[in-house]
Amino acid sequence: MYPHICYACKINNAIKNNAFCISCLADISFTDHFLIRDNELIRRIMGRVEIEHGAALHYFHKEGKVQDVIHALKYRNTPQVGIMLGRAFGYCYQDSKLFPNADIIIPIPIQYKRLQKRGYNQSYMIAKGINEVTQIPIGDKFLVKDKKLVSQTKKIRSDRFDNVLTSFVLNNGDMLVGKRVLIVDDVLTTGATVEAAITKLQEVDDITIQVGVLALALD
C-alpha cells in the first residue's frame, strides 16, 4: 500500500515494481548485450565453453548504485529485489533476437549453509522474476552444490574454476537432453562460477546453453 524506497539511494521513492527511483535509473549503466552477439560477457567466458548467447542487464562498478542494489539482494534480506531485476531482465530477453526462448531456467545454486542463513538463493529469485515475464519454467534441482567451497578470495581464475566445478552436482541430466537452458546468476566477475556450471551442464547430450546475469563487474 505504501511506496518503497529506492534500494540504491535509499532516499527517493522507487518506481512502481522497480528497485530504482527515477533519478537512479537514469544514472545507472545498461549494457547492449541483448543486441550485440560479440559482447564483453561472452568474451570473458569464451575459451573452455561454448554458449548460444549471454547477456548482463547492467554494468557493476564498485561503490556504484547497481552494487548497492545487488548488495541489498544478497545481504539485506530483500528477495523482492531479485524478482524486480529478474523481470527487467526478462523483458530485455523477450525482446532480444539473439535469445531464442529457453526451455528451462537454471539458477546458479548456493551452499546449503548460506541458503539457510540467507533464507533464499538470490539467483533463484532472479529466475523467478524472469519466469513471471517469460513463463519459462525454473529447474533449480538440476544443478546443486555438493560440498562447502574453500574461500575464493585469493584464488586465481583457474583455481576458482576447479574449486567451483568440483562442488557442482548434475541431477537428472537425461531430462535436459536436447533442451535449451538459461543459466542465471547475479554478478559475473571472473566468470569462473558460470563457466564451471556450463562445463557441468555440457555433460548432457545435445544441450544448448545461454547465460543471463544481472550485472557484469568492470572494476
Side-chain angles (χ1 to χ4, degrees):
M1 294 179 63
Y2 300 97
H4 65 269
I5 299 299
C6 172
Y7 291 101
C9 68
K10 307 174 191 65
I11 297 173
N12 301 318
N13 290 336
I15 302 168
K16 184 178 180 181
N17 297 323
N18 201 299
F20 299 98
C21 65
I22 293 176
S23 177
C24 287
L25 192 62
D27 194 41
I28 60 177
S29 299
F30 285 86
T31 76
D32 58 2
H33 295 178
F34 296 92
L35 304 173
I36 305 298
R37 188 171 295 279
D38 180 24
N39 60 54
E40 302 102 317
L41 184 148
I42 291 174
R43 289 196 293 270
R44 193 167 298 186
I45 62 177
M46 68 187 297
R48 297 199 210 192
V49 295
E50 293 185 7
I51 61 173
E52 182 176 50
H53 193 56
L57 184 64
H58 298 291
Y59 291 112
F60 182 103
H61 299 276
K62 289 182 180 178
E63 310 303 327
K65 293 180 178 179
V66 172
Q67 183 190 62
D68 288 337
V69 173
I70 297 292
H71 282 189
L73 169 62
K74 295 177 70 171
Y75 308 121
R76 298 205 293 272
N77 192 31
T78 55
Q80 64 272 21
V81 171
I83 297 174
M84 292 175 189
L85 295 177
R87 289 190 199 118
F89 184 98
Y91 287 120
C92 293
Y93 179 92
Q94 274 193 329
D95 292 340
S96 174
K97 295 180 180 179
L98 300 177
F99 275 113
N101 264 18
D103 300 300
I104 300 169
I105 302 171
I106 298 183
I108 292 290
I110 62 175
Q111 300 167 30
Y112 179 75
K113 287 185 178 180
R114 187 170 296 171
L115 179 63
Q116 291 295 101
K117 181 178 180 180
R118 187 174 295 160
Y120 57 91
N121 174 0
Q122 70 273 10
S123 296
Y124 179 86
M125 304 313 295
I126 298 164
K128 187 174 180 182
I130 297 172
N131 163 265
E132 289 183 4
V133 173
T134 65
Q135 305 304 307
I136 300 171
I138 302 171
D140 62 331
K141 304 301 181 185
F142 290 108
L143 205 60
V144 298
K145 281 289 181 71
D146 181 46
K147 67 178 185 179
K148 182 178 179 180
L149 278 175
V150 177
S151 174
Q152 300 270 69
T153 306
K154 296 183 179 180
K155 288 182 177 293
I156 62 173
R157 187 176 188 274
S158 59
D159 287 342
R160 287 188 180 199
F161 171 83
D162 293 336
N163 189 33
V164 180
L165 180 61
T166 56
S167 76
F168 283 144
V169 173
L170 178 64
N171 291 324
N172 300 312
D174 57 312
M175 296 179 65
L176 297 175
V177 173
K179 301 293 186 182
R180 173 178 279 113
V181 303
L182 172 64
I183 298 174
V184 170
D185 203 4
D186 53 359
V187 179
L188 191 141
T189 50
T190 66
T193 299
V194 166
E195 190 177 307
I198 295 168
T199 300
K200 181 59 68 173
L201 287 169
Q202 284 179 333
E203 295 176 6
V204 176
D205 292 334
D206 193 29
I207 192 170
T208 302
I209 298 175
Q210 305 171 343
V211 174
V213 298
L214 291 185
L216 178 70
L218 294 180
D219 298 329

